[in-house]
Amino acid sequence: MSNVPHAVDLSVKPDITPFFDPATNTVSYVAKDPGSAACAVIDSVMDIDYASGRIAPTSADTIIRLIADRGWSLEWLIETHVHADHLSAAPYIQSRLGGRIGIGAGIRIVQETFGKIFNEGTEFQRDGSQFDRLFHDGDSYQIGGMTAFAMHTPGHTPACMTHVIGDAAVVGDTLFIPDGGSARADFPGGDARTLYRSIRRVLQLPETTRLLMCHDYGPNGRDIRWETTVAEQRAHNIHARDGITEDQFVMAREARDRTLDMPRLIIPSLQVNMKAGQLPSSDASGRRFLKVPLNVL
């Protein structure tokens, strides 16, 4: 693949530990440098009972215990995009283990869009400054002695990035396991044609590259999966395998999107995640509140 940064070695095999959250069908990952104790957490989950307004760090604490028990050093907390189906636990994990929170530079577009939708006011900075690092296409970064890099793969959202870490690529919401196809492209700023081009770019990685999904819903009752390969996707993905044209993909993706309901946790997730996982500020009584915009989404 011609646009891989020179310093990146795609033959490195990071130790990948997945964490599946059944409440949101989200998969979080800890990716560890095989040559040191350094690691990164990708797409962490903060638990929320939306009906009661109660938040708990149960899932995040499981990740924290793994890293602490093994004596690893957390260097990065990566968000592949602004999630609409779960709250990020990045600031909670950072407060206990350190590390830097990173997301794609397209976050600024997302912040501008949803800052208006949620009427955040001028005090809400729309420049991505809530995050420690904004990744641009092709940016590389270190996890210990291992060089990873970010690929801009928009379509689901403008800020979506695929993170290539040795022989593994965390694809966020671009692809699903082949029998699940692809992610929706009907959120504000999403675009099915752009998503197709991003997917094809991911599928130009070496065929043996491990592709790590952000979600799996076990279609047709099969067991939950979160890992596939470029070769498997190119041969079998129901939406984007080799031979499916851009126009065919767009037609199928847009038809599918018209049948989908909004994610159950989209209202709290977007408000929190566009601010790097920070909860709303407390009022004078110490309470925090989320907004519900009516007739907008």
Side-chain angles (χ1 to χ4, degrees):
M1 187 178 178
S2 60
N3 56 352
V4 176
H6 178 71
V8 173
D9 183 353
L10 298 181
S11 70
V12 173
K13 297 185 181 301
D15 300 321
I16 304 290
T17 306
F19 296 83
F20 179 70
D21 175 48
T24 62
N25 291 83
T26 301
V27 191
S28 306
Y29 298 96
V30 176
K32 178 190 165 291
D33 172 24
S36 73
C39 67
V41 170
I42 305 161
D43 290 339
S44 60
V45 173
M46 177 66 75
D47 302 284
I48 180 172
D49 181 343
Y50 194 28
S52 68
R54 295 190 178 276
I55 293 172
T58 307
S59 298
D61 283 339
T62 302
I63 293 175
I64 290 169
R65 281 195 299 272
L66 173 87
I67 294 172
D69 289 348
R70 297 188 180 180
W72 294 349
S73 174
L74 181 59
E75 296 191 347
W76 287 98
L77 296 115
I78 302 295
E79 299 293 337
T80 55
H81 63 292
V82 176
H83 305 278
D85 42 32
H86 71 269
L87 274 64
S88 169
Y92 175 80
I93 297 173
Q94 183 186 52
S95 71
R96 283 149 180 81
L97 296 178
R100 302 175 67 195
I101 302 175
I103 198 168
I107 180 62
R108 293 172 291 201
I109 301 172
V110 176
Q111 288 177 330
E112 185 65 32
T113 299
F114 288 101
K116 293 176 181 176
I117 288 175
F118 290 105
N119 194 27
E120 287 291 338
T122 56
E123 66 274 13
F124 172 48
Q125 298 298 311
R126 294 161 169 82
D127 58 2
S129 58
Q130 300 87 348
F131 298 82
D132 300 311
R133 172 80 181 270
L134 300 184
F135 294 105
H136 294 83
D137 187 48
D139 279 356
S140 60
Y141 58 100
Q142 295 298 124
I143 306 172
M146 179 172 55
T147 303
F149 80 100
M151 294 171 54
H152 188 210
T153 49
H156 176 66
T157 81
C160 288
M161 306 292 284
T162 291
H163 287 262
V164 182
I165 307 171
D167 75 335
V170 187
V171 301
D173 282 11
T174 53
L175 287 161
F176 292 157
I177 293 295
D179 60 351
S182 60
R184 66 193 301 164
D186 60 338
F187 293 151
D191 180 77
R193 198 166 296 279
T194 301
L195 180 61
Y196 176 85
R197 295 171 186 176
S198 293
I199 289 171
R200 296 310 305 178
R201 188 177 178 209
V202 171
L203 297 184
Q204 294 305 307
L205 289 165
E207 289 196 342
T208 56
T209 302
R210 294 182 282 167
L211 299 182
L212 305 176
M213 308 294 105
C214 186
H215 298 287
D216 187 55
Y217 300 94
N220 300 313
R222 68 151 167 76
D223 291 342
I224 295 296
R225 292 180 57 195
W226 45 76
E227 182 175 327
T228 178
T229 64
V230 167
E232 184 182 8
Q233 292 282 14
R234 292 183 64 167
H236 301 297
N237 187 281
I238 60 172
H239 292 163
R241 65 183 178 272
D242 288 356
I244 293 179
T245 68
E246 183 173 313
D247 286 343
Q248 288 172 328
F249 175 87
V250 170
M251 183 178 299
R253 182 67 266 165
E254 291 182 346
R256 171 67 174 154
D257 288 348
R258 286 192 289 270
T259 72
L260 299 176
D261 294 330
M262 284 290 102
R264 178 175 58 90
L265 296 178
I266 188 171
I267 296 297
S269 297
L270 291 174
Q271 289 178 75
V272 169
N273 295 340
M274 69 178 179
K275 300 176 183 177
Q278 296 290 343
L279 296 175
S281 299
S282 301
D283 68 4
S285 68
R287 295 178 296 178
R288 304 175 190 267
F289 295 87
L290 291 164
K291 301 174 182 176
V292 180
L294 301 177
N295 300 320
V296 177
L297 293 174

